[in-house]
Amino acid sequence: MNILLTGGAGFIGTHLTKKLLDEGHIVLAVDNFGSNYDPALKRRNVAPFEGRPGYYLFEGDIRESSFLHLLFGTYAIDVVVHLAGLAGVRPSLQQPASYFDTNVTGTVTLLQTMRDFKVSKIVFASSSSVYGERNEIPFRETDRIEELASPYAISKRTGEMLLQNYHQLFGLNAYCLRFFTVYGPNQRPDMAISRFIQRLFDGERIQLFGNGQSLRDYTYVNDIVAGIVRAIERVNGFEIINLGGARPVALIDLVRKLEQYTGRKARLDYRPEQPGDVSQTAADLTKAAHLLGYQPRVSLEEGLQRMVNWFQAEHTSLLEEK
């Protein structure tokens, strides 16, 4: 199968690339190597795939119609996996225009190109942030979406609505996967777990916003990848599907686990709650199990230990100096 993968040099994208190549698929990876975080990290992410049979990397922007038309006109594409976009709640409060330009305009341009070239299947990376602040857990795909808390959440919800519209108007087959706080090796350095591990080893203070009791449904990247692969295989019609870890944990408890696995004591710096943050996330996985056979297999404890081990292997000389 020929799979066009946008955001192919990112954290989830490179984990997915390895899985798809291992299964014998052709991966047409697209990335603009933008500066939302260090482009050198993204280039390091894709370096292991250079020269692998079936892997092709294209540097370009999904907002550029001419770039996409050249790509779609050159290769026969069976399915698109759309991971590209700006991520993160707090940065979207400072750069809302950039988020809408990349996440909405980019998605529209991609969908129109798919229509032009009669490519009818897409798997889209959405986010648990679309649920906003709510008291009832777990979050179900049938929940009403009313009070989105950030421009990032709005941009992702808009993406879902666009795919639904293209399904209704043009018969597009689209699965929107709502990811719940994905973590693992090569995670973006601005994400909480990456920052916490770095600061534990550096002996720097860890900032906790609020009282440390906010709940997050953390999902190990291998489980997310397994869900995406099943979606690629089964995408038909239009569906919104949660992919989570199904075991929310309080932020302070996450830090305590990282203390245990790093052997370092955290220096905590409590800060006021941040605009755009929500108090809890928790995924109902009933639909994912039914449609995708999805079941998270990596516990938070195992996943955090793997991530700490990876960090230590990547930063051996730095840690020795400390």
Side-chain angles (χ1 to χ4, degrees):
M1 188 181 299
N2 293 346
I3 299 168
L4 177 69
L5 173 60
T6 74
F11 162 47
I12 298 174
T14 46
H15 281 272
L16 177 60
T17 294
K18 182 179 185 306
K19 179 67 172 177
L20 292 174
L21 291 175
D22 288 347
E23 292 190 353
H25 297 293
I26 304 297
V27 176
L28 309 171
V30 172
D31 208 289
N32 70 350
F33 293 90
S35 58
N36 53 316
Y37 66 95
D38 188 356
L41 295 178
K42 301 174 190 179
R43 296 192 186 280
R44 188 179 68 177
N45 286 346
V46 299
F49 306 124
E50 294 179 5
R52 280 198 63 170
Y55 180 73
Y56 303 88
L57 176 63
F58 305 91
E59 186 167 348
D61 198 305
I62 61 169
R63 292 169 293 183
E64 297 177 2
S65 180
S66 58
F67 165 70
L68 288 180
H69 273 72
L70 179 61
L71 192 55
F72 276 74
T74 304
Y75 297 90
I77 296 168
D78 297 304
V79 61
V80 173
V81 180
H82 182 25
L83 305 184
L86 292 179
V89 167
R90 293 173 194 160
S92 76
L93 302 178
Q94 307 300 321
Q95 308 169 52
S98 295
Y99 273 71
F100 282 98
D101 185 31
T102 300
N103 296 357
V104 178
T105 302
T107 299
V108 171
T109 307
L110 178 63
L111 289 176
Q112 191 57 44
T113 306
M114 290 178 64
R115 185 181 173 216
D116 292 343
F117 287 88
K118 296 181 173 55
V119 177
S120 63
K121 294 183 178 182
I122 184 171
V123 176
F124 172 61
S126 188
S127 167
S128 61
S129 66
V130 303
Y131 287 107
E133 181 63 50
R134 59 185 62 228
N135 296 323
E136 293 185 8
I137 56 174
F139 298 171
R140 297 178 174 85
E141 294 89 347
T142 53
D143 290 345
R144 293 187 65 181
I145 305 300
E146 295 179 326
E147 297 184 10
L148 294 91
S150 68
Y152 171 63
I154 296 171
S155 74
K156 282 298 183 181
R157 179 59 181 145
T158 302
E160 294 179 350
M161 295 169 69
L162 285 166
L163 266 66
Q164 185 173 24
N165 184 249
Y166 270 69
H167 164 69
Q168 293 168 339
L169 294 177
F170 310 119
L172 180 71
N173 297 292
Y175 278 7
C176 301
L177 307 180
R178 289 177 176 169
F179 298 161
F180 282 69
T181 315
V182 189
Y183 74 100
N186 286 341
Q187 185 188 42
R188 293 197 332 263
D190 60 300
M191 295 293 287
I193 294 178
S194 290
R195 293 200 322 270
F196 291 173
I197 293 174
Q198 179 76 60
R199 293 188 177 189
L200 279 164
F201 280 117
D202 288 347
E204 296 179 357
R205 290 186 177 276
I206 291 176
Q207 294 180 350
L208 296 186
F209 296 98
N211 59 8
Q213 296 304 313
S214 59
L215 295 173
R216 289 292 180 272
D217 192 341
Y218 296 98
T219 317
Y220 193 68
V221 64
N222 289 13
D223 287 328
I224 290 290
V225 164
I228 298 172
V229 171
R230 288 294 182 90
I232 292 170
E233 296 168 348
R234 303 183 184 192
V235 57
N236 184 47
F238 175 82
E239 299 289 350
I240 293 174
I241 308 170
N242 290 337
L243 293 185
R247 207 187 100 187
V249 63
L251 187 60
I252 187 62
D253 293 333
L254 174 75
V255 173
R256 297 306 179 207
K257 292 179 187 295
L258 289 173
E259 285 181 324
Q260 176 184 347
Y261 301 136
T262 61
R264 308 294 176 99
K265 183 66 176 175
R267 300 168 61 210
L268 300 179
D269 180 12
Y270 286 93
R271 298 293 184 90
E273 293 184 2
Q274 294 291 290
D277 283 353
V278 297
S279 62
Q280 59 183 347
T281 64
D284 184 298
L285 299 179
T286 305
K287 188 174 183 180
H290 174 67
L291 290 180
L292 305 179
Y294 175 81
Q295 181 179 354
R297 301 190 180 281
V298 180
S299 69
L300 180 64
E301 290 77 14
E302 181 181 355
L304 292 178
Q305 183 67 75
R306 289 185 190 179
M307 197 165 170
V308 169
N309 291 347
W310 166 81
F311 183 91
Q312 290 177 306
E314 290 290 306
H315 299 80
T316 299
S317 60
L318 177 65
L319 296 177
E320 287 176 350
E321 293 175 4
K322 296 180 181 299

